[in-house]
Amino acid sequence: MNEHLFSKSYRKSNKFRGQLMLFALVFGLLVEEGASRRTTPKPKHPTPPNDDPVHQHMHAHVPHKSVKFPPLRSSHFDVIAAIVEDLIDRSRVTDGSHAFLAGFVRVLFHDCVGVACDGCINVDHAPNAGLGPYITVLNKMYHDTGHKIYELMSQADFWALSALVAARRGARKGGQILSTEFRTGRLDCPTSPYTTHKHHYPDAHGDTTMTLEYWKDFFGLTYHETTALLGAHGLGKCHRDASGFEGAWTVDPDSLDNSYYKDLTNSRLGWRQQQIDMNHVQWVHGDGTSGIMLNSDMALYKAIQPKPQVSECSYVSCGPSIVASSVEAFAESNALFVTEFSSAFQKLMDHGLPHGMLSQILPTPVMQHQRTNPVPPAPMQVPIDFMQLVNGPSPFLPERAPHASTSQPLVSVLPNPQMQQQIPEIVSTVAQTSPTKPPSLAESLMSLLTPAERRLVEHEKKLAG
């Protein structure tokens, strides 16, 4: 009897134990699947067909650096933006324009082609010709052990911020303010800032369909947004030794405004095609004034028919393109252009940006002109060759090994002398309390805060400590 009861009880307990183990197994699988769904981002594009090498490369899996950065205050961006502003100030070339203004914007676009903006560009790939000097300067500043920007954000984030500062500066000169926000969370490729990958770039000799479809397929832009984004060509100029083309699009290469669209729609300029060499054709003013357009620019307003580069119809005989009305609208209103550009530029900057825990949306960086007590820019008496900034040495870009063990206070390497005068007090205070440890960028930033903000920071420190 007792033996029978024991065996029955034993069988029941075994049955219960088996049910419990099965339940735990199923529950564990469900939890694992749920975690996978939460942490695995949904692919932005469907898997490309096997016979499409361009899209295969575009969607190829490339591991990225995963570095956890501390939460950032808007004051961090304020200081870094001021550093970028000074870099632009000091890149003035002989014609009075600033090489880094357009250069930093171009770096962002070329970085974001592909799966995501990842702080990596193949400088040996023909479409990236001429980007080397800009990348060198940004890389030096990013790894500078005085600024320690590398402790605050990824290189891709720094490139994006630098491009935003440049674009805002260009729009400001044109009388408008960009509404584009800055987001952190971009992941650098393992070999940042360089790579051997060869991405697919838009064809400068393309027609309307090729131009619009590229931006739709690779960046998800509407035709209207693409028309607005290409207004960035109003910044900078083409260089024969880099792109094969020569000249500035508009009269002021430093201004991001609707001059680009005004010129496109101005038939009095007498637009005609110019064969530079066997591989390059551009549009120039027939009235003798300076200014160029590439096929991809002219295709926004005219339904050109390049075969393969020279259009079979002229500016007069080509019909209107499918986005000609957008071009005309932007030509009429600079405010409308900057508004639409801000939205399109946001999509470019956020291309492939991880969402969720990695992404941190912060207010647009405050520029110097928006400060209560603006810091005047360093005086520029004589134009300099911007290559000096690359090949150095220079007083504001010290030659220093990346992440060297010997650090230098921010005050000694800030480019702007007036800005240096703002922070010696906080630097000396920090040095007295910790003479063997030079102040970091975060510590030096305290000097740019108002007294109320400083008290709040100190209060937060006490709570955290």
Side-chain angles (χ1 to χ4, degrees), residues 169-417:
R169 177 176 174 137
R172 186 167 72 244
K173 187 172 186 182
Q176 299 293 323
I177 296 295
L178 292 186
S179 60
T180 308
E181 294 180 327
F182 182 74
R183 295 170 168 85
T184 63
R186 296 163 188 83
L187 303 179
D188 290 336
C189 81
T191 57
S192 178
Y194 303 110
T195 181
T196 57
H197 287 244
K198 294 183 178 180
H199 294 298
H200 177 60
Y201 292 87
D203 185 356
H205 287 112
D207 59 15
T208 305
T209 301
M210 291 176 62
T211 301
L212 298 177
E213 288 297 314
Y214 174 89
W215 291 92
K216 176 184 175 182
D217 291 343
F218 283 76
F219 290 90
L221 297 184
T222 66
Y223 291 172
H224 182 73
E225 288 172 331
T226 294
T227 306
L229 186 63
L230 290 189
H233 275 175
L235 295 173
K237 61 189 72 173
C238 291
H239 300 275
R240 183 76 182 275
D241 58 350
S243 64
F245 303 100
E246 185 65 39
W249 281 269
T250 61
V251 66
D252 187 351
D254 278 0
S255 183
L256 180 61
D257 57 33
N258 64 340
S259 298
Y260 172 83
Y261 305 97
K262 287 182 176 179
D263 286 353
L264 273 175
T265 58
N266 188 355
S267 59
R268 293 186 302 246
L269 294 176
W271 287 106
R272 63 178 179 83
Q273 297 179 80
Q274 179 188 51
Q275 182 95 37
I276 300 178
D277 55 40
M278 293 297 294
N279 299 314
H280 296 88
V281 174
Q282 62 187 31
W283 297 74
V284 297
H285 298 180
D287 63 356
T289 58
S290 62
I292 69 163
M293 292 288 169
L294 309 182
N295 275 0
S296 55
D297 300 308
M298 191 60 67
L300 296 179
Y301 189 56
K302 294 289 185 175
I304 62 173
Q305 303 167 16
K307 303 287 182 174
Q309 297 149 356
V310 178
S311 176
E312 294 185 341
C313 60
S314 66
Y315 181 88
V316 175
S317 62
C318 286
S321 78
I322 57 177
V323 289
S325 59
S326 295
V327 174
E328 292 170 347
F330 295 150
E332 289 292 325
S333 172
N334 187 39
L336 174 64
F337 157 63
V338 173
T339 298
E340 297 301 310
F341 177 85
S342 297
S343 175
F345 196 58
Q346 186 81 67
K347 284 190 175 183
L348 173 64
M349 287 182 60
D350 294 351
H351 179 57
L353 181 67
H355 295 288
M357 295 180 62
L358 287 177
S359 182
Q360 181 186 10
I361 303 177
L362 294 104
T364 303
V366 179
M367 300 294 109
Q368 292 188 22
H369 76 287
Q370 295 172 311
R371 294 175 182 270
T372 305
N373 298 308
V375 179
M380 176 62 70
Q381 303 297 334
V382 181
I384 64 171
D385 180 356
F386 78 91
M387 287 301 293
Q388 177 188 352
L389 307 180
V390 181
N391 301 321
S394 68
F396 62 98
L397 261 179
E399 285 287 348
R400 198 178 290 114
H403 299 220
S405 58
T406 55
S407 180
Q408 187 175 2
L410 176 68
V411 65
S412 63
V413 293
L414 273 175
N416 196 324

Side-chain angles (χ1 to χ4, degrees), residues 430-465:
V430 174
Q432 289 173 8
T433 57
S434 180
T436 60
K437 181 182 179 182
S440 65
L441 173 59
E443 292 167 329
S444 300
L445 285 169
M446 290 285 288
S447 65
L448 299 181
L449 304 179
T450 65
E453 287 177 325
R454 292 181 194 173
R455 289 194 296 271
L456 178 60
V457 171
E458 292 298 334
H459 178 67
E460 291 174 349
K461 281 185 179 180
K462 290 179 181 178
L463 292 179

